[in-house]
Amino acid sequence: MIRCLAIDDEPLALQQLAAYIGKVPFLELAAQCQSALEARKFLEEDAVDAIFCDINMPDLKGMDFVKSLLAPPMVVFTTAYAEYAVEGFKVNAVDYLLKPFGLQDFLRAANRIKERLDVTTPLPQQGGGGGDSDTIFVKTEYRIVKVTIADIRYIEAMSEYLKIYLEGDPKPIITLLSMKRIEERLPDTFMRIHRSYIVNLLKIQEVNKNRVIMDADTYLPIGDMYKEAFQSYLDAKFLGK
């Protein structure tokens, strides 16, 4: 199922979006929001595969909202103003629905989302060779990539996004995901040391006062809420007087 977020400040338009999503077998309505600010709050706690977003909304325009997302899911814009179409495609929108649109137009956009996901989603590997507990799959931009858990050095939270830093790769993977969700999938060799950081305990080089040193250029703070648990880990591993 493709999880979708519907966003429109007009209640009837939002109701129509939700109804259309419900009519498509491969779509699932994760939530419906009446503002981009409400949508942003939702995305801080959950992730979706696609957004159906009105452009003309108070407080924060749909276009500006999407541009503010570091790793946006697939986006279909909806609006009554045709002049926004070109600008919509500049931000890599999958499709553009001009109001009033019917179910047939909506199906066209939904199928475009499905086609992109079918192309980018890796097929499961067949046969033996270890379980899948050593890897996770995360979405970044329009791709779904496999991450070997042992290669993760640390994870940084940024609002509704995560930056996953891997061994040997200076550029992090940016994904729309919550800290809680990824914590549930990580083994006990990982520990949260700050509200914004999870570290691979096997990759730590040094602990200096209230900082964890991952390498010569990476110093991560230890938050007050996490000091006790982290100190317990150090005490269990510490050799000395």
Side-chain angles (χ1 to χ4, degrees):
M1 296 289 282
I2 299 172
R3 283 169 53 82
C4 302
L5 179 62
I7 312 169
D8 201 305
D9 64 305
E10 299 177 7
L12 291 179
L14 186 60
Q15 184 179 348
Q16 182 191 54
L17 267 179
Y20 282 167
I21 290 171
K23 290 178 183 293
V24 181
F26 55 82
L27 297 185
E28 175 189 355
L29 181 64
Q32 45 187 314
C33 302
Q34 285 191 263
S35 73
L37 297 178
E38 184 183 347
R40 175 174 288 170
K41 185 176 181 181
F42 172 81
L43 291 175
E44 288 177 356
E45 301 295 331
D46 211 335
V48 296
D49 303 301
I51 292 176
F52 291 88
C53 183
D54 184 34
I55 291 178
N56 297 286
M57 294 185 291
D59 298 325
L60 181 61
K61 302 292 185 184
M63 195 77 68
D64 294 331
F65 165 64
V66 172
K67 288 178 180 178
S68 73
L69 301 177
L70 293 178
M74 296 187 207
V75 179
V76 174
F77 283 117
T78 67
T79 185
Y81 302 94
E83 62 266 25
Y84 285 112
V86 174
E87 188 179 355
F89 286 116
K90 284 182 180 178
V91 294
N92 293 322
V94 175
D95 207 343
Y96 177 94
L97 295 173
L98 184 63
K99 297 179 181 180
F101 56 86
L103 180 58
Q104 198 63 35
D105 293 324
F106 183 85
L107 282 172
R108 179 198 70 219
N111 281 320
R112 286 183 176 178
I113 291 172
K114 185 175 184 294
E115 286 170 5
R116 294 201 184 187
L117 276 177
D118 285 345
V119 169
T120 58
T121 302
L123 294 174
Q125 297 296 315
Q126 301 296 322
D132 63 356
S133 60
D134 297 332
T135 61
I136 56 175
F137 285 88
V138 297
K139 183 181 299 180
T140 178
E141 296 177 336
Y142 295 135
R143 300 177 298 123
I144 296 177
V145 298
K146 182 171 74 171
V147 176
T148 301
I149 291 176
D151 289 341
I152 299 174
R153 298 177 60 237
Y154 66 96
I155 299 167
E156 179 182 4
M158 292 193 339
S159 186
E160 67 267 32
Y161 298 96
L162 297 181
K163 285 184 174 182
I164 302 175
Y165 291 85
L166 302 177
E167 195 72 45
D169 191 347
K171 185 177 179 181
I173 294 173
I174 299 176
T175 184
L176 183 64
L177 198 64
S178 68
M179 290 286 267
K180 180 180 178 182
R181 181 73 65 87
I182 201 165
E183 273 187 294
E184 294 171 351
R185 287 289 286 110
L186 294 174
D188 57 9
T189 51
F190 287 79
M191 180 177 288
R192 192 165 183 175
I193 61 167
H194 188 276
R195 67 187 304 271
S196 298
Y197 293 103
I198 296 173
V199 298
N200 185 339
L201 298 169
L202 303 179
K203 305 288 186 182
I204 294 175
Q205 291 189 1
E206 186 178 333
V207 179
N208 190 333
K209 297 181 180 180
N210 291 324
R211 297 183 302 177
V212 167
I213 300 174
M214 306 301 291
D215 56 50
D217 301 315
T218 308
Y219 295 71
L220 306 180
I222 302 171
D224 291 339
M225 290 178 56
Y226 306 92
K227 281 182 181 178
E228 185 176 347
F230 185 67
Q231 187 61 51
S232 295
Y233 165 77
L234 291 180
D235 291 343
K237 298 289 185 180
F238 185 71
L239 296 179
K241 295 181 179 180

